[in-house]
């Protein structure tokens, strides 16, 4: 019996956890903490046609590809989701990148907007879990954006205008967490992840385990 329990642990199917939030909600910080605390979580690295920026690393920040390579991926339906940036660059999530993790029981976490989440759910409905982070207040969002000290007033105003548009899609997500405190938010999402890992659909080895339990019970009854 111990052997099959070990097999179950190794044959669990991974899940795709998508986290979305308006700017200034603390999404990046939450994702970094989740990755730090859970070695079975892997971050999804997208491909992009834009040039590599100073300090960025291939395979860590993005996979940098040409427009021709991107078009070939589109033609072959290689993406779980893809988007054209308003600045001309294109981005996409490769199926091969994600499937290489979930096929061996590792979970993948995505920093993705509601448009990408829709595409992902369409292509992998049983594997996708969506989580929406809400700010405690709009005033707090503005405070956080100003506190970064990296954006001009014009940029901050643009981001604030997008906040309401983003929040409109909160009810398309499986789970909703209000990010008041980072540690509490991370703990809540960890509980979500833990529960999703136990779902029957993600435990393909379970039928064999149940069959063995039934066989064991039958043998005891026949004694």
């Amino acid at each position: 019996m111990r052997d099959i329990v070990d097999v179950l642990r190794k044959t669990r199917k991974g899940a795709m956890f998508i986290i979305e939030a308006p700017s200034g909600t603390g999404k990046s910080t939450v994702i970094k903490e989740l990755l730090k605390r859970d070695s079975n979580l892997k971050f999804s690295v997208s491909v992009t046609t834009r040039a590599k920026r100073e300090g960025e690393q291939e395979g860590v920040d993005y996979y940098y590809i040409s427009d021709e390579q991107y078009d070939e991926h589109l033609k072959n339906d290689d993406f779980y989701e893809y988007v054209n940036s308003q600045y001309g660059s294109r981005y996409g999530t490769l199926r091969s990148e994600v499937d290489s993790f979930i096929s061996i029981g590792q979970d993948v976490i995505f920093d993705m907007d509601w448009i990408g989440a829709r595409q992902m759910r369409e292509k992998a409905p049983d594997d996708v879990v969506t989580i929406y982070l809400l700010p405690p207040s709009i005033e707090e969002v503005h405070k956080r954006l100003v506190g970064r000290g990296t954006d001009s007033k014009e940029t901050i105003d643009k981001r604030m205008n997008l906040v309401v548009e983003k929040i409109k899609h909160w009810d398309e997500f499986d789970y909703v967490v209000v990010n008041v405190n980072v540690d509490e938010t991370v703990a809540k999402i960890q509980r979500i992840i833990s529960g999703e890992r136990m779902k029957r659909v993600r435990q393909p080895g379970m039928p064999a385990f149940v069959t063995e339990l039934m066989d064991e019970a039958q043998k005891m009854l026949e004694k």
Side-chain angles (χ1 to χ4, degrees):
M1 186 62 68
R2 185 180 298 275
D3 290 342
I4 197 165
V5 171
D6 288 339
V7 169
L8 285 175
R9 291 187 182 128
K10 293 174 183 175
T11 59
R12 185 185 71 83
K13 187 179 183 184
M16 307 176 191
F17 293 97
I18 297 173
I19 298 184
E20 158 72 313
S23 293
T25 305
K27 177 173 59 171
S28 296
T29 301
V30 167
I31 289 175
K32 284 177 183 176
E33 280 300 312
L34 287 166
L35 291 166
K36 191 189 300 181
R37 300 181 192 188
D38 190 338
S39 61
N40 201 59
L41 270 180
K42 305 300 176 184
F43 185 71
S44 172
V45 180
S46 302
V47 301
T48 181
T49 59
R50 75 160 172 76
K52 188 191 300 183
R53 294 171 183 162
E54 186 177 351
E56 291 184 338
Q57 297 177 56
E58 172 77 22
V60 175
D61 297 287
Y62 289 101
Y63 293 111
Y64 302 91
I65 63 175
S66 66
D67 280 304
E68 291 73 23
Q69 289 172 306
Y70 191 96
D71 289 337
E72 188 66 20
H73 283 308
L74 272 180
K75 178 183 174 183
N76 296 330
D77 193 27
D78 291 337
F79 292 124
Y80 267 125
E81 61 85 33
Y82 58 92
V83 64
N84 293 334
S85 164
Q86 59 180 315
Y87 304 108
S89 301
R90 297 185 287 175
Y91 299 82
T93 300
L94 288 174
R95 292 174 185 263
S96 56
E97 168 77 6
V98 177
D99 291 349
S100 66
F101 290 122
I102 68 170
S103 63
I104 58 173
Q106 292 184 315
D107 302 304
V108 184
I109 194 164
F110 301 79
D111 179 346
M112 188 177 289
D113 66 15
W114 60 271
I115 299 172
R118 278 184 181 179
Q119 292 182 53
M120 293 284 288
R121 190 187 291 281
E122 210 172 277
K123 293 187 176 179
D126 291 335
D127 299 324
V128 170
V129 180
T130 56
I131 303 167
Y132 200 97
L133 292 187
L134 283 171
S137 69
I138 299 301
E139 183 181 355
E140 182 64 23
V141 171
H142 187 265
K143 181 180 173 183
R144 289 174 182 174
L145 288 175
V146 172
R148 289 177 181 175
T150 56
D151 296 325
S152 65
K153 183 181 183 304
E154 183 183 8
T155 299
I156 290 172
D157 288 345
K158 284 181 180 178
R159 291 185 184 279
M160 289 300 297
N161 286 333
L162 289 172
V163 167
V164 174
E165 187 58 39
K166 278 212 168 199
I167 290 178
K168 286 179 183 177
H169 299 278
W170 73 275
D171 57 356
E172 296 180 25
F173 288 69
D174 300 315
Y175 299 93
V176 181
V177 179
V178 178
N179 185 25
V180 178
N181 174 278
V182 171
D183 284 334
E184 290 178 5
T185 296
V186 170
K188 287 175 182 177
I189 296 176
Q190 284 181 308
R191 289 195 289 273
I192 291 169
I193 291 172
S194 180
E196 288 290 336
R197 284 172 173 166
M198 297 303 295
K199 282 192 171 179
R200 177 173 48 82
V201 71
R202 298 197 179 95
Q203 299 190 72
M206 193 56 72
F209 177 64
V210 173
T211 297
E212 186 162 326
L213 286 177
M214 299 296 286
D215 289 345
E216 185 183 4
Q218 186 63 37
K219 288 174 184 175
M220 290 183 68
L221 291 171
E222 289 173 355
K223 287 182 180 177

